[in-house]
Amino acid sequence: MLNDSHCHFFSNQFFTTLSRQRGRGETVEQLCRELQWDEPGPPDALAERWIAEMDAQGVGRAALIASVPGDEASVGTAVARHPDRFVGFFMLDPSADDAVERAHNAMETMGLQVLCLFPAMNQVPLHDSRVQQVVEVAAARAGTAVFMHCGVLSVGVRRKLGLPSRFDLRLGDPLGVARLAMAYPNLPFIVPHFGAGLFREALMAADTAPNIHLDTSSSNSWIKYTPGLTLDAVFKTAVSVAGPRRLLFGTDSSFYPRGWQRGVYESQKAALGTVGLSAADEALIVGGNFDRLFPPRAA
Ligand SMILES: [Zn+2]
């Protein structure tokens, strides 16, 4: 079974937030026309579009990330409609006054399972007590995880809209994730994109803390920072350090009409094929590990 551990739910609220940040008073329709993307419509309609796309592409289950703080309810709607197909992830700004309450509400009331932190974006260091406070909300509940974006961070839609992205890249350090993961050994941590440029550090962190997982998502263009590095070598090294049980396949799909990024899947599948894993181990990476971390819920 093919499961995608990294998809963005670009909801109406997501575009409304970007429009507010841009400050030109544009409607979601205007913003989407400029981007040449489809308007998402209400969250239940967008959820159905995702289901139709996953059915067409042979994707069993997917993580849906609420991709701006404050958009938990949109993904909550999608998860409530299809608890057997979607796992709810949500971006949270730990510097917000109500961060702990928001995290609690998202997990307790809305059924979301994965807290997503972007330390470089929110400018909160991983050793800050505000991070610990929200991580504790996840740690106190079964079936949850923490997603921690590390390494290079560029948000394509922000760039396209000319929104400033003054991120402090020093703060997204996998070694800081290792420290937290050791403090909460029963809580799974997910570092996306193999550490997004901090591959060595992500491997060191995974080698140190057995609850750290790496997601394989996106085109992984960060490999350009290391001379001669190939996606084949990335998969081979990640498997040799973290083993096949801690890699989670993902695409980083987000907007329509592009939809689910089959090309990303195919290039990763080809790279994975060069590692020489058994079919059972490959199946873990493309779906089994996701099901183990987030067992399907009854529809
Ligand atoms: Zn992403």
Side-chain angles (χ1 to χ4, degrees):
M1 182 51 90
L2 178 56
N3 294 325
D4 192 331
S5 69
H6 192 135
C7 297
H8 292 271
F9 197 67
F10 281 0
S11 67
N12 217 66
Q13 178 65 29
F14 172 81
F15 292 110
T16 302
T17 305
L18 294 182
S19 172
R20 192 180 333 114
Q21 290 179 6
R22 208 182 195 196
R24 298 185 196 168
E26 291 148 314
T27 62
V28 171
E29 185 189 354
Q30 288 167 324
L31 215 57
C32 288
R33 198 182 312 129
E34 180 180 336
L35 290 162
Q36 296 183 291
W37 295 355
D38 292 349
E39 277 185 78
D44 50 356
L46 184 59
E48 295 315 313
R49 186 158 199 189
W50 270 102
I51 289 291
E53 175 74 351
M54 288 159 64
D55 287 346
Q57 301 281 2
V59 179
R61 303 175 65 220
L64 294 182
I65 307 173
S67 304
V68 285
D71 196 24
E72 302 92 316
S74 299
V75 167
T77 298
V79 169
R81 286 179 81 88
H82 297 283
D84 55 333
R85 305 290 299 277
F86 296 140
V87 176
F89 286 42
F90 62 102
M91 185 191 271
L92 185 80
D93 178 356
S95 74
D97 290 337
D98 60 349
V100 169
E101 191 187 324
R102 275 198 167 278
H104 192 267
N105 194 34
M107 291 181 153
E108 192 74 36
T109 313
M110 300 180 191
L112 308 190
Q113 289 170 264
V114 182
L115 167 69
C116 302
L117 299 179
F118 290 70
M121 181 186 290
N122 298 132
Q123 318 250 343
V124 182
L126 288 174
H127 58 265
D128 191 298
S129 65
R130 292 169 295 176
V131 170
Q132 190 179 321
Q133 280 164 17
V134 295
V135 168
E136 255 160 30
V137 175
R141 290 185 64 81
T144 61
V146 171
F147 167 111
M148 206 71 98
H149 192 282
C150 295
V152 72
L153 176 60
S154 78
V155 182
V157 64
R158 298 189 68 86
R159 209 175 37 233
K160 278 186 99 161
L161 294 173
L163 288 167
S165 299
R166 297 184 195 98
F167 304 149
D168 187 345
L169 298 183
R170 297 172 303 169
L171 301 178
D173 185 349
L175 300 181
V177 182
R179 179 185 157 280
L180 273 169
M182 284 187 279
Y184 300 94
N186 298 317
L187 179 64
F189 284 76
I190 300 167
V191 175
H193 323 302
F194 296 103
L198 297 178
F199 184 43
R200 184 187 65 156
E201 288 78 0
L203 293 173
M204 289 163 67
D207 209 14
T208 304
N211 48 333
I212 291 183
H213 302 68
L214 306 179
D215 102 20
T216 68
S217 71
S218 86
S219 56
N220 287 298
S221 61
W222 58 264
I223 65 177
K224 70 188 174 197
Y225 303 129
T226 303
L229 189 60
T230 63
L231 196 56
D232 293 4
V234 168
F235 270 92
K236 189 166 265 177
T237 311
V239 166
S240 77
V241 174
R245 292 175 65 83
R246 290 197 282 149
L247 299 183
L248 298 163
F249 161 71
T251 58
D252 212 359
S253 299
S254 54
F255 63 88
Y256 287 89
R258 184 179 70 177
W260 192 68
Q261 294 199 70
R262 174 158 289 277
V264 169
Y265 167 68
E266 277 168 0
S267 61
Q268 290 191 24
K269 194 85 169 78
L272 195 52
T274 68
V275 177
L277 287 173
S278 67
D281 282 346
E282 271 199 31
L284 286 175
I285 295 170
V286 300
N289 293 332
F290 186 79
D291 282 339
R292 189 184 67 249
L293 288 181
F294 311 112
R297 294 173 170 181

